[in-house]
Amino acid sequence: MGKKVYIETYGCQMNVNDTEVIFSILLGNGYERTEDIAEADVIMANTCSVRDNAEQRIWGRIQQFNSFRRSHPGLIVGIVGCMAERLKDKLLDSHRVDLVAGPDSYRSLPELLSRITPTSPQINVLLSHEETYGDINPVRIDKNGVSAFVSIMRGCNNVCSYCVVPYTRGAERSRDPRTILAETRDLLEKGYKEVTLLGQNVDSYYWKDPEVGEVTFASLLEKVALLSPTLRVRFSTSHPKDISDEVIYTMGRYDNICKNIHFPLQSGSDRMLQKMRRRYTRDWYLERVAKIRSVMPGCAITTDIIAGFCSETEEDHRDTLDVMRKVRYDYAYMFQYSERPGTLAALKYPDDVPPEVKGRRLEEIIALQNELSARSNRSDVGKVFEVLIEGPSRRDSSQLCGRASNNKMCVFTDSVHTKGDYVKVRVDDCTSATLLCSLITDN
Ligand code: 5AD
Ligand code: SF4
């Protein structure tokens, strides 16, 4: 019997997909997957470094993993992912872990695991310019079998001054489009109905070779959308400086490309944007939003915002609130700035906005977004949406739930259809997070 591996995943969708890659590699080498930590022979945390509180949570969890050693002699505890890459051998020195593996080292996991002894922990944190795990078919860890992530590129070449990702995930590289299409076809054959194409900056996807010619993100999106009209296509994340008209037009041309763009603003102040090295201005950003809305009037726009970046003033903060009001985001992920060691901002700019000011600004941002989200949901009341059913609603198992093209969660009563089916619903009412709908029957 193979050793049983349990993996706990933190951070972004990319990390979820990496966990699926890791399982694929380990299962191909005689390991088994378990979802029960108590029976695991190997416990791994696939970690995130994006903010300090993400790392703090993981430290606490490593201590808990170590406490399992008492009842399970020979247990292996590993840290993989961004925190492994950022902290490297410090993780081996300061905490008892047996394995430290960065995001580009997963092919070496079977070998690393086989070499571990109580006195010889193993580490591989080499970053690569080529690794895309292109040929690896991830083992899906989602439960519903309807929606899957497909990685199209790795790493990031933007050096946003607050961001640790270029250091933890290395340089940007695009994955061979043939492997992306093959993976998606395989998902379709297995009954999946939705893929989300993942990259830190999908707009800079680029591939060229004599056989397939030039492939940009817009043409890749089109190729994936053309695989089947019943396959929904989503993607994340777009960079406002890079999103092209072709991508926007391609989205507009295909009904099965979902009308939702995650479009991180970070700040609405030009001075902050420049310090963050985002390489766009608020006017540029607002023009891109206007373009998206002119081509796809119903397209949802969601965002990420950082409150209290270095030297942010009340005026800068008001600029952020102002852009939020202008764009009327459908949803936002909102954070206080957290200094990350080794980034440009940590080296050059003091983290000088007091915590209580950061906190208050974040609260104002959240309060405004709550209003905007409610307004966005109210404006959908009366509309008809096509929904891809994900399964029973979590709140009320007698109802079904699924997402509309704009990514909003719809719940409705339906005793005929099942997960993976497309249905039409009319929105009757809404809560802050959900659209309450009724099924439109065919006749
Ligand atoms: N502090 C706070 N938020 C950050 N993000 C990235 N780095 C930091 C940081 N140092 C946020 C950005 C990014 C999202 C994934 O996390 O908003 O878009
Ligand atoms: Fe994902 Fe960034 Fe966290 Fe790494 S640091 S897991 S890339 S969010």
Side-chain angles (χ1 to χ4, degrees), residues 82-152:
C82 290
M83 207 169 149
E85 192 62 49
R86 194 179 85 72
L87 295 170
K88 302 187 167 75
D89 39 7
K90 270 189 239 154
L91 268 165
L92 297 181
D93 299 342
S94 55
H95 280 257
R96 251 192 89 202
V97 298
D98 306 293
L99 169 77
V100 175
D104 286 345
S105 72
Y106 299 147
R107 282 182 206 267
S108 69
L109 281 174
E111 200 189 330
L112 294 171
L113 284 168
S114 73
R115 280 207 238 120
I116 290 170
T117 70
T119 51
S120 55
Q122 300 292 317
I123 179 167
N124 182 353
V125 287
L126 287 179
L127 286 174
S128 155
H129 283 277
E130 286 91 35
E131 181 63 273
T132 61
Y133 301 113
D135 56 317
I136 290 177
N137 214 353
V139 170
R140 304 295 161 184
I141 58 174
D142 66 287
K143 294 255 163 40
N144 73 1
V146 173
S147 174
F149 296 128
V150 175
S151 165
I152 64 164

Side-chain angles (χ1 to χ4, degrees), residues 387-398:
V387 165
L388 172 57
I389 299 177
E390 291 179 11
S393 155
R394 251 184 253 149
R395 282 259 179 90
D396 174 356
S397 60
S398 73

Side-chain angles (χ1 to χ4, degrees), residues 86-262:
R86 194 179 85 72
L87 295 170
K88 302 187 167 75
D89 39 7
K90 270 189 239 154
L91 268 165
L92 297 181
D93 299 342
S94 55
H95 280 257
R96 251 192 89 202
V97 298
D98 306 293
L99 169 77
V100 175
D104 286 345
S105 72
Y106 299 147
R107 282 182 206 267
S108 69
L109 281 174
E111 200 189 330
L112 294 171
L113 284 168
S114 73
R115 280 207 238 120
I116 290 170
T117 70
T119 51
S120 55
Q122 300 292 317
I123 179 167
N124 182 353
V125 287
L126 287 179
L127 286 174
S128 155
H129 283 277
E130 286 91 35
E131 181 63 273
T132 61
Y133 301 113
D135 56 317
I136 290 177
N137 214 353
V139 170
R140 304 295 161 184
I141 58 174
D142 66 287
K143 294 255 163 40
N144 73 1
V146 173
S147 174
F149 296 128
V150 175
S151 165
I152 64 164
M153 59 203 296
R154 296 181 71 82
C156 184
N157 280 357
N158 297 315
V159 196
C160 299
S161 62
Y162 52 80
C163 187
V164 76
V165 174
Y167 309 98
T168 61
R169 288 189 165 269
E172 180 185 293
R173 62 223 103 117
S174 295
R175 178 177 173 190
D176 185 330
R178 282 161 290 222
T179 67
I180 297 171
L181 293 169
E183 187 178 324
T184 310
R185 272 190 216 102
D186 180 60
L187 286 165
L188 269 167
E189 275 164 27
K190 291 182 173 135
Y192 281 81
K193 296 288 173 62
E194 181 176 86
V195 292
T196 303
L197 307 179
L198 293 180
Q200 299 295 339
N201 180 6
V202 290
D203 303 288
S204 59
Y205 177 88
Y206 185 78
W207 184 271
K208 190 177 177 189
D209 72 31
E211 196 188 323
V212 292
E214 249 187 11
V215 184
T216 62
F217 180 57
S219 56
L220 179 72
L221 197 54
E222 179 163 49
K223 285 180 204 295
V224 177
L226 282 170
L227 288 177
S228 164
T230 62
L231 175 74
R232 274 187 170 183
V233 187
R234 300 183 181 277
F235 57 87
S236 188
T237 300
S238 303
H239 195 304
K241 79 174 163 58
D242 293 323
I243 191 168
S244 66
D245 286 354
E246 289 71 40
V247 167
I248 299 171
Y249 290 131
T250 305
M251 285 182 79
R253 265 203 309 280
Y254 292 93
D255 279 346
N256 61 329
I257 304 181
C258 290
K259 303 300 180 275
N260 171 26
I261 299 188
H262 188 59

Side-chain angles (χ1 to χ4, degrees), residues 50-51 162-164 264 266 304-306 333 335-340:
V50 76
R51 282 171 293 277
Y162 52 80
C163 187
V164 76
Q266 314 299 4
D304 293 344
I305 293 177
I306 299 176
Y333 299 90
F335 316 101
Q336 290 188 38
Y337 172 59
S338 154
E339 185 175 88
R340 306 313 294 131

Side-chain angles (χ1 to χ4, degrees), residues 265 268 282 285-286 289 293 303 305 314-330 332 361 364-373 375:
L265 170 69
R282 59 184 271 138
Y285 184 95
L286 289 169
V289 169
R293 293 244 159 94
T303 202
I305 293 177
E314 288 305 315
E315 196 186 340
D316 296 319
H317 171 57
R318 280 196 297 274
D319 284 346
T320 297
L321 297 173
D322 183 55
V323 173
M324 290 175 70
R325 279 190 206 97
K326 287 197 162 83
V327 178
R328 288 175 275 109
Y329 291 109
D330 297 279
R361 288 181 189 162
E364 288 176 12
I365 289 169
I366 292 172
L368 173 57
Q369 185 53 46
N370 286 343
E371 267 174 48
L372 297 175
S373 298
R375 205 158 102 185

Side-chain angles (χ1 to χ4, degrees), residues 338-357:
S338 154
E339 185 175 88
R340 306 313 294 131
T343 58
L344 214 68
L347 296 172
K348 279 180 70 174
Y349 310 126
D351 179 11
D352 55 2
V353 176
E356 60 281 9
V357 176

